[in-house]
Every structure is written in C-alpha cells, then in structure tokens.
Amino acid sequence: MPAVAVLALVLAAPPSLSDLAWMAGSWQAEGPGPVSEEVWLPPAGDNMIGMWRLVADGKARVYEFLTLTQEAEGPVLRFRHFDRALVGWEEKDKPLVLPLVRQGAREAVFEGLASDGTRLRLHYRRPAEDRLAVTLLRGDQAQEFAFRLRP
C-alpha cells in the first residue's frame, strides 16, 4: 500500500455523533394504521437519546428506548424493547448493540446481532428535510418505516 494511502487511513477520524445530528426530531409514521413514532434528541456530550413507540387499536404495544453513544471506534446504537407495562424483552444486562458500519450524507447503517444470534441491521435515511426512512433488516426479513417530521 502506498505511504500516502496508509497516512490517510491513520489520519481519518472515526465518525462522530455530530455526523448524525440530522436524525434529531419528532417523527410520525405516515398513513392509516397503527401509530408509529420515533423521537431523537440532538447530540449532547457523548450521546443522543431516542424512543420509538407503536400504538395499535388505541393501546401501546411496544416501546423502544434507544441511545447513540460516542465510542472510540465511532457511534454505537444500543436499545431495548418494553411492553406496555414497561417490562423489558431483553435480559437486563444485554441491550441490543449495533455499531455504526456505514454512513453518508444523511444516511447511517447500524449492524449487530439479536439475542438469538440473528443479524440485525437498522438503516436510517433522511431523503428530504421533512422525511425519515428507516429499514429494519432482521435476518432476511425487512420492515420499512416512513416518517414525517412533526411541526
């Protein structure tokens, strides 16, 4: 490898939370059906905090609490699921952990393993100023979420 390429690799800084500030906002799913909402607070210190909830037939069905923390290698997404009584789905010492594996302009991909060993990938995109698109890939099953920024 040429010395210039090696130097460029050494000098390249890891991604930072400020690169993900575009995720911040209060987002609501478009269209009829269950209420799906995701909220992200802007970066503060070494973290961002988010939540997601799903309400169907007038009742909360699932909550997620999400954090993005700045680690030496870059941002890491950690999250847990809870039922309507706030009983956690994952073991108390085992949140789902998905490091940032790719980022671009208003795009971020996090990838890791579920507690059962299934590959998880969360792909966030902001295709327009008032839109957030999220794709959850669990194994070979994809689920799409299309959100609009609340005023």
Side-chain angles (χ1 to χ4, degrees):
M1 182 179 277
V4 174
V6 171
L7 182 60
L9 288 174
V10 171
L11 294 178
S16 73
L17 285 176
S18 62
D19 298 326
L20 302 175
W22 55 266
M23 291 171 59
S26 180
W27 306 94
Q28 184 162 5
E30 300 181 276
V35 174
S36 176
E37 300 170 295
E38 188 155 335
V39 175
W40 280 100
L41 297 178
D46 66 350
N47 74 91
M48 289 177 69
I49 294 176
M51 78 86 184
W52 175 77
R53 72 174 173 176
L54 180 68
V55 177
D57 301 322
K59 293 187 178 184
R61 301 297 179 188
V62 64
Y63 305 111
E64 277 182 355
F65 181 71
L66 306 105
T67 64
L68 277 168
T69 54
Q70 183 67 47
E71 307 291 340
E73 65 280 0
V76 175
L77 175 66
R78 289 181 178 86
F79 62 101
R80 293 181 182 276
H81 297 90
F82 300 89
D83 68 13
R84 61 181 287 119
L86 214 54
V87 174
W89 294 6
E90 292 83 21
E91 293 183 41
K92 70 178 185 175
D93 62 343
K94 296 193 183 346
L96 298 171
V97 179
L98 284 68
L100 180 70
V101 295
R102 189 177 82 222
Q103 80 170 45
R106 294 181 170 211
E107 177 179 34
V109 179
F110 302 90
E111 190 170 309
L113 297 176
S115 54
D116 64 2
T118 304
R119 183 180 70 129
L120 288 178
R121 175 181 280 189
L122 267 171
H123 185 180
Y124 284 86
R125 300 173 303 289
R126 192 159 177 186
E129 193 58 35
D130 65 341
R131 305 270 196 237
L132 183 69
V134 181
T135 302
L136 168 62
L137 185 64
R138 183 179 173 89
D140 60 359
Q141 301 275 333
Q143 192 172 6
E144 301 282 337
F145 299 89
F147 298 101
R148 180 182 291 271
L149 187 62
R150 286 192 207 193

